[in-house]
């Protein structure tokens, strides 16, 4: 656990999500922390990157891997504003992230319990502690405002 707490780092992830929205990307932000230090961060950018895998979590995992000189992010915590999808959940497991803390639940594509719990599949070679609902209202409202604006509502 870190001294600053889950809310502090989720607020940082929310600021990254706002950056994604400013670039007309779905507003999701992610931060990877080891101890009390941010070692990687990212926000959604699949449109700008022309890359379907450029989700906030993947961007943060890539940045943390570069920062630490290893793809194994042992003893790290990933904070993300939206429940990870199946692709991101698998990458998180393979990176050996210790904890995932997310904000809003994703009933359409969430893989931490909403549609499937990929973190609890018996064949996975690493266990991740997952906790959802941190700053849930703020995370969900950012997404709702983004999609309402796109629909013209």
């Amino acid at each position: 656990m870190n001294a600053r707490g889950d809310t502090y780092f989720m607020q940082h992830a929310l600021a990254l999500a706002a950056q994604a929205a400013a670039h007309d990307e779905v507003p999701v932000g992610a931060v990877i922390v080891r101890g009390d230090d941010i070692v990687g961060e990212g926000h959604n950018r699949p449109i700008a990157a022309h890359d379907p895998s450029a989700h906030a979590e993947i961007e943060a995992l890539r940045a943390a891997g570069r920062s630490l000189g290893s793809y194994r992010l042992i003893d790290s915590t990933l904070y993300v504003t939206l429940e990870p999808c199946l692709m991101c959940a698998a990458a998180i497991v393979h990176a050996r992230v210790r904890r995932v803390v997310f904000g809003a639940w994703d009933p359409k594509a969430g893989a931490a319990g909403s549609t499937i719990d990929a973190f609890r599949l018996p064949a996975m070679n690493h266990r991740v502690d997952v906790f959802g609902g941190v700053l849930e209202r703020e995370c969900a409202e950012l997404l709702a405002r983004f999609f309402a604006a796109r629909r013209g509502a």
Side-chain angles (χ1 to χ4, degrees):
M1 191 74 129
N2 52 58
R4 291 185 177 149
D6 292 345
T7 301
Y8 174 87
F9 290 110
M10 188 61 75
Q11 287 170 334
H12 189 86
L14 269 166
L16 292 165
Q19 289 179 24
H23 291 99
D24 219 21
E25 300 271 7
V26 174
V28 178
V31 177
I32 298 180
V33 175
R34 185 183 278 175
D36 218 22
D37 299 319
I38 294 174
V39 296
E41 62 182 40
H43 58 72
N44 266 8
R45 47 183 235 99
I47 297 167
H50 309 289
D51 179 356
S53 71
H55 288 194
E57 300 94 323
I58 302 297
E59 295 293 300
L61 289 168
R62 289 173 178 157
R66 286 189 299 271
S67 171
L68 297 173
S70 175
Y71 77 94
R72 290 194 173 195
L73 307 178
I74 296 166
D75 293 327
S76 65
T77 299
L78 185 146
Y79 295 88
V80 60
T81 57
L82 182 65
E83 179 183 3
C85 72
L86 187 57
M87 173 186 70
C88 292
I92 290 163
V93 169
H94 288 294
R96 309 298 196 277
V97 171
R98 184 174 53 84
R99 288 178 72 225
V100 170
V101 178
F102 67 88
W105 293 87
D106 184 352
K108 293 182 181 177
S114 286
T115 63
I116 187 173
D117 191 346
F119 296 104
R120 301 290 172 256
L121 293 173
M124 291 302 220
N125 63 344
H126 173 73
R127 295 288 171 242
V128 179
D129 293 329
V130 181
F131 183 74
V134 173
L135 298 181
E136 180 177 4
R137 182 180 49 81
E138 294 89 337
C139 294
E141 285 175 357
L142 181 60
L143 286 157
R145 283 193 308 272
F146 176 81
F147 287 113
R150 290 183 75 101
R151 288 189 301 271

